[in-house]
Amino acid sequence: MFISSVKAQETSGSKGPLGLFGKAYALAITVIIDDLHPLENEMRIINEHYINWLKRRGKACHELIIAFTAATNSTDSILARCRRLLMQDVGDEKTLAAMDITILVVDAESEEHKEYKLKWEPKAPPPPVVPEKDRSEEPIILGIRDPSLPGKEVLFFRDVDAELAAAIEEAQRRIPEFKALLDCPQAGVTVRIPWVCGDIHDIYEASLVGRNGDELEVEFTPEYAPGPVRKKYRIEEILDWTVHHQNGQKSGGFTTRDAAKGSQTINPPGS
């Protein structure tokens, strides 16, 4: 007789200042994958919890966390099953597209763990297969966080994107300059952020719409979402920044082709 190891727990928090916009809900699920608890069987139970939670909380669903304890070679199978789970069209698309989804995989032997960020994926036909030699040389970014370095992304680029990687390093090295500029009057601010949607890894230009210390709230529209998405990033997670000054000039923009060769910098007033 199969006895599931799945355990689900819901938490809630206030949404908006003083809870004016109600509550936001998070669902945390833990599961053990082994001979007694096959992945296929346990995913059915996880799916039931997931769908029932969406039906019960609707637009208030904010975050989903699933933690697996499994054998070392199980990660690929787990992520594939989780992507299939997230391809279901089971609720409001905007709610699903904006939801934070974290998959945690703990090695059953070493107890080491890795964290993966996934996104809901609408059902769509697979893209046509393109011969490797004809593929555009877009940067590859994998948003796999190292638990020992909170807030840091491990970035992988093609060799031809060495210049882009250097530009991102320059932008992140000059974060203190960015912070100083944020404290001065400006016409607008955009940042480049990593976006992971299933197997697709992109960089998006996003508008800064809010700030709380080192936490930035940005807005952008992924190709896979029905509308704009707002998301919060730690300032050290952004890949590039551009400050547009009131006199029409700008600072930053290191990852643009021209800026990568030498970015103009405007010192904040009083420096």
Side-chain angles (χ1 to χ4, degrees):
M1 179 179 178
F2 171 69
I3 300 177
S4 175
S5 67
V6 173
K7 295 181 180 179
Q9 182 175 358
E10 183 183 69
T11 60
S12 64
S14 298
K15 195 173 183 181
L18 302 178
L20 293 177
F21 300 106
K23 289 186 175 181
Y25 291 88
L27 179 65
I29 297 175
T30 60
V31 58
I32 298 172
I33 303 301
D34 55 20
D35 291 340
L36 296 177
H37 308 97
L39 178 60
E40 182 177 357
N41 293 359
E42 295 290 40
M43 286 303 299
R44 294 195 187 102
I45 308 299
I46 290 173
N47 188 59
E48 290 180 9
H49 284 289
Y50 171 64
I51 292 177
N52 289 337
W53 178 62
L54 291 174
K55 290 179 178 179
R56 185 171 67 253
R57 300 302 183 188
K59 296 180 184 297
C61 293
H62 175 69
E63 184 175 11
L64 173 66
I65 302 170
I66 309 178
F68 293 84
T69 299
T72 305
N73 59 355
S74 301
T75 300
D76 289 344
S77 298
I78 288 171
L79 293 178
R81 289 282 184 174
C82 289
R83 291 188 183 103
R84 186 180 302 176
L85 175 80
L86 300 177
M87 287 176 64
Q88 300 177 93
D89 186 6
V90 293
D92 179 74
E93 289 186 345
K94 290 186 178 180
T95 299
L96 295 172
M99 192 184 303
D100 285 329
I101 302 169
T102 303
I103 307 300
L104 190 68
V105 182
V106 181
D107 189 302
E109 294 183 4
S110 67
E111 297 186 353
E112 294 181 355
H113 61 281
K114 284 191 176 181
E115 183 180 309
Y116 301 83
K117 289 292 186 180
L118 300 184
K119 295 299 293 184
W120 168 78
E121 296 181 74
K123 289 185 178 180
V129 177
V130 180
E132 191 66 31
K133 64 179 181 179
D134 295 330
R135 292 183 185 272
S136 60
E137 295 299 329
E138 297 178 351
I140 296 178
I141 294 186
L142 299 179
I144 303 175
R145 291 185 178 178
D146 183 339
S148 65
L149 299 172
K152 293 293 184 180
E153 299 284 348
V154 182
L155 304 180
F156 298 91
F157 296 91
R158 300 181 195 271
D159 291 341
V160 297
D161 286 301
E163 184 178 354
L164 176 60
I168 289 175
E169 289 181 4
E170 176 74 1
Q172 294 180 331
R173 183 180 65 82
R174 292 169 66 171
I175 287 293
E177 178 184 331
F178 178 44
K179 290 182 180 181
L181 291 170
L182 286 177
D183 292 332
C184 303
Q186 10 79 12
V189 176
T190 57
V191 295
R192 284 192 155 190
I193 44 91
W195 173 258
V196 180
C197 182
D199 292 323
I200 301 173
H201 309 275
D202 284 327
I203 301 174
Y204 274 96
E205 191 85 7
S207 299
L208 181 66
V209 295
R211 180 192 179 196
N212 182 14
D214 285 352
E215 185 178 74
L216 307 180
E217 183 175 6
V218 303
E219 183 176 278
F220 59 105
T221 304
E223 297 175 3
Y224 337 108
V229 170
R230 286 199 177 193
K231 188 170 176 62
K232 293 180 180 179
Y233 287 83
R234 297 290 300 174
I235 199 167
E236 63 268 19
E237 292 180 287
I238 65 173
L239 306 179
D240 195 7
W241 52 268
T242 303
V243 175
H244 300 269
H245 300 282
Q246 294 176 337
N247 62 1
Q249 295 180 302
K250 66 180 182 179
S251 298
F254 305 94
T255 57
T256 62
R257 292 303 179 184
D258 291 337
K261 298 175 183 177
S263 172
Q264 178 186 15
T265 299
I266 299 177
N267 293 324
S271 61

